[in-house]
Amino acid sequence: MKIAIMGFGTVGSGVKEVLELNRAQIEKKGGEKIEIKYILARREHIPGIPDELITTDFSVIENDPEIELVVEAMGGIHPAYEYIKSCLEKGKHVVSSNKAVVDACGSKLVRTAKEHKCNFYFEASVGGGIPVIRTLYHNYAGENVMEITGILNGTSNFILSKMKDEGSTFADTLKEAQRLGYAEKDPSADVDGFDTSRKTAILLSMSSGMRCRHEDIYTEGIRNISDIDMSYAKEMGYHIRLLGSVETVEDKYFAYVAPIMVGKDDPLYFVNGVYNGIRVVGNCLGNTMLYGKGAGKLPTASAVVSDIIAAARHKDHFQGIGWSEKMIEIEPMGSNAFRYFLRIEGTAEGIKKALKAHFLGEGEELCPIVLEGRQDEFAIVSTVLFEEDFLSRMREFEEETGRRVFHFIRIKGMTEE
Ligand SMILES: NC(=O)c1ccc[n+]([C@@H]2O[C@H](COP(=O)([O-])OP(=O)(O)OC[C@H]3O[C@@H](n4cnc5c(N)ncnc54)[C@H](OP(=O)(O)O)[C@@H]3O)[C@@H](O)[C@H]2O)c1
């Protein structure tokens, strides 16, 4: 099978490397030789690559009937979308690692593939090397997937892990992550949750079979997590993780991206550094967990190559993945329920009645947490409340007592099986 790679950066060059490194095995499993005929780049020379492989003209790839599969590893929505669509319309299989294009146009591209009896695969777009996409639409095809919750962004997980280990501030840890090459110069997509939000939208699409816009998912990043929050989390036996989560309850869909306190009963507690972890709860399977490198040259390229092999095996027909263009309706953030960790001004003395009345359930005991050496604030953990209710209780508490709530963080346990 002759293929083209569009975009020869980290992922594109990794695909070439994996195809060379594991050539014999890949050809055996795919059933044929896989040969790179073109590399689409914006420059005419790439060190170490023969000039005859390089083209700067997409139409050369599009119009070559020998090309049966195209890897898109350019990133961004345009012109990636137009290039992918045009290749599918010509009956060429496309494998993409690009979450932006999959999130924005994935269901349309799957339909185009179906109409032209070819395939659009995108395993590497979520979780890098972790095989979560195929697991959801293939292995879990017979499961009623109730929840998917994951650490989907290695950069923010690296920052949160380091803040906990070293007691450092967000700003200092971000600088360190940038110095080590784990965070971009503009870290917004990672630390403000947008990267996680796109991946969460793709996971919701895979579990629901419907179209989902990441803009409709409540998204909160980790910029407001302080070293003080982290000290409380440590004291309480929690870790703070940036989670992307989707839940299905009967016909209702819930989704959010936010920093969440997780305890040791949740395997996500133990996912440290740049690693990703994705916990899936099925009605028959119960809790399962996928863990591994969510980014990086070879892990991501390995997922792309697994898609190339899938395409070689399903060369002459469309492999349905059950993704329709019907738009999903996501319930508002206010209808999600959590327990809440709250940091409150002053001491608990004199306001215990108000704390209990606003934040605790009947018969629950008030247990204020005070960090050593801090007299200016304390923390409590609320009972389980719907977010809308919690926010109005918090406003009422502040008005009634004149005390400020400095910060709150949601706490989430594992879904009961
Ligand atoms: N890196 C990872 O670990 C990882 C993991 C999972 C998914 N992904 C996704 O994979 C995609 C690629 O990521 P990457 O890290 O490989 O990015 P990258 O290193 O920036 O590589 C992208 C390459 O595509 C080229 N390119 C962009 N537009 C082009 C165009 N119109 N024509 C020809 N070439 C073009 C760029 O060329 P120039 O050098 O000229 O700009 C660059 O060489 C992204 O969607 C990313 O989100 C990446």
Side-chain angles (χ1 to χ4, degrees):
M1 181 162 72
K2 291 202 164 64
I3 74 168
I5 298 177
M6 304 195 294
F8 203 68
T10 307
V11 177
S13 63
V15 171
K16 185 171 182 294
E17 208 173 315
V18 173
L19 285 173
E20 282 160 8
L21 193 68
N22 296 345
R23 178 167 295 284
Q25 177 185 340
I26 291 164
E27 289 177 3
K28 200 168 149 203
K29 295 202 170 147
E32 62 182 301
K33 207 166 163 236
I34 289 159
E35 187 190 326
I36 300 171
K37 185 169 179 185
Y38 302 112
I39 287 169
L40 180 73
R42 285 197 279 223
R43 54 213 149 113
E44 278 163 2
H45 307 287
I46 300 173
I49 305 294
D51 280 352
E52 60 270 22
L53 279 189
I54 301 169
T55 177
T56 54
D57 180 2
F58 169 67
S59 68
V60 170
I61 295 171
E62 184 190 16
N63 295 322
D64 185 337
E66 269 194 348
I67 295 293
E68 291 182 89
L69 181 145
V70 175
V71 172
E72 184 276 308
M74 302 186 298
I77 298 178
H78 305 290
Y81 170 69
E82 289 76 14
Y83 287 6
I84 295 171
K85 184 166 179 280
S86 164
C87 288
L88 293 170
E89 284 168 352
K90 294 218 153 56
K92 300 181 198 300
H93 302 283
V94 177
V95 174
S96 175
S97 60
N98 180 345
K99 65 201 148 265
V101 85
V102 175
D103 166 47
C105 321
S107 56
K108 260 193 276 181
L109 292 169
V110 168
R111 175 170 50 84
T112 309
K114 185 178 181 186
E115 286 165 3
H116 294 87
K117 296 189 178 57
C118 52
N119 287 293
F120 175 55
Y121 293 117
F122 44 89
E123 183 61 66
S125 65
V126 182
I130 303 174
V132 64
I133 300 290
R134 192 163 287 112
T135 300
L136 284 173
Y137 76 68
H138 186 75
N139 302 73
Y140 289 8
E143 270 296 308
N144 179 0
V145 174
M146 295 143 66
E147 180 193 337
I148 308 171
T149 297
I151 294 169
L152 303 169
N153 181 269
T155 304
S156 47
N157 203 47
F158 172 83
I159 291 172
L160 292 171
S161 302
K162 223 171 160 53
M163 282 175 73
K164 185 174 183 197
D165 292 345
E166 296 177 5
S168 47
T169 63
F170 172 79
D172 286 348
T173 317
L174 173 60
K175 264 189 225 145
E176 173 76 352
Q178 285 168 322
R179 195 183 62 76
L180 293 170
Y182 290 137
E184 305 273 336
K185 223 169 149 193
D186 175 3
S188 180
D190 294 323
V191 302
D192 294 323
F194 305 122
D195 174 80
T196 300
S197 171
R198 286 206 156 95
K199 292 168 178 170
T200 304
I202 297 172
L203 292 178
L204 180 53
S205 297
M206 289 301 98
S207 64
S208 66
M210 286 190 263
R211 209 175 124 214
C212 162
R213 287 157 31 99
H214 80 273
E215 294 90 338
D216 293 341
I217 296 178
Y218 173 87
T219 299
E220 187 183 313
I222 60 166
R223 277 187 205 269
N224 292 332
I225 301 298
S226 69
D227 47 333
I228 304 169
D229 295 325
M230 211 44 105
S231 300
Y232 278 110
K234 241 174 159 170
E235 177 86 16
M236 294 156 59
Y238 286 106
H239 211 314
I240 303 171
R241 300 297 192 195
L242 180 65
L243 300 184
S245 185
V246 307
E247 255 181 273
T248 309
V249 182
E250 289 161 2
D251 285 343
K252 292 195 167 144
Y253 297 95
F254 300 82
Y256 62 83
V257 171
I260 303 283
M261 282 187 170
V262 290
K264 287 186 182 145
D265 62 327
D266 189 332
L268 293 169
Y269 176 96
F270 300 97
V271 177
N272 285 310
V274 292
Y275 275 82
N276 283 196
I278 305 167
R279 191 163 54 71
V280 185
V281 190
N283 65 331
C284 301
L285 265 169
N287 269 288
T288 52
M289 170 91 169
L290 296 153
Y291 171 83
K293 288 186 178 155
K297 186 177 182 176
L298 293 186
T300 308
S302 166
V304 171
V305 168
S306 79
D307 279 347
I308 296 175
I309 294 173
R313 286 175 175 169
H314 300 277
K315 229 172 165 180
D316 304 319
H317 65 276
F318 168 72
Q319 204 192 4
I321 64 167
W323 191 2
S324 79
E325 283 179 79
K326 186 174 172 214
M327 201 73 197
I328 200 167
E329 213 172 290
I330 299 172
E331 297 298 312
M333 185 60 181
S335 54
N336 284 279
F338 302 93
R339 286 195 299 133
Y340 296 85
F341 156 81
L342 298 103
R343 283 174 46 205
I344 301 165
E345 183 183 8
T347 73
E349 292 313 313
I351 54 164
K352 284 188 176 163
K353 218 170 139 196
L355 287 166
K356 274 187 179 175
H358 286 92
F359 300 117
L360 296 192
E362 222 178 284
E364 284 181 343
E365 216 181 304
L366 182 71
C367 304
I369 308 147
V370 181
L371 286 182
E372 212 184 303
R374 284 205 86 98
Q375 303 304 322
D376 54 339
E377 66 167 72
F378 67 100
I380 61 160
V381 171
S382 80
T383 192
V384 177
L385 294 165
F386 286 105
E387 181 129 336
E388 195 179 1
D389 183 26
F390 166 72
L391 293 174
S392 72
R393 282 166 183 252
M394 193 172 68
R395 275 191 299 270
E396 281 163 18
F397 167 81
E398 286 184 320
E399 271 170 32
E400 191 182 306
T401 61
R403 298 287 189 85
R404 266 198 323 134
V405 173
F406 291 138
H407 195 202
F408 72 84
I409 301 175
R410 301 166 186 90
I411 302 178
K412 187 86 176 159
M414 296 252 288
T415 299
E416 296 291 328
E417 289 170 18

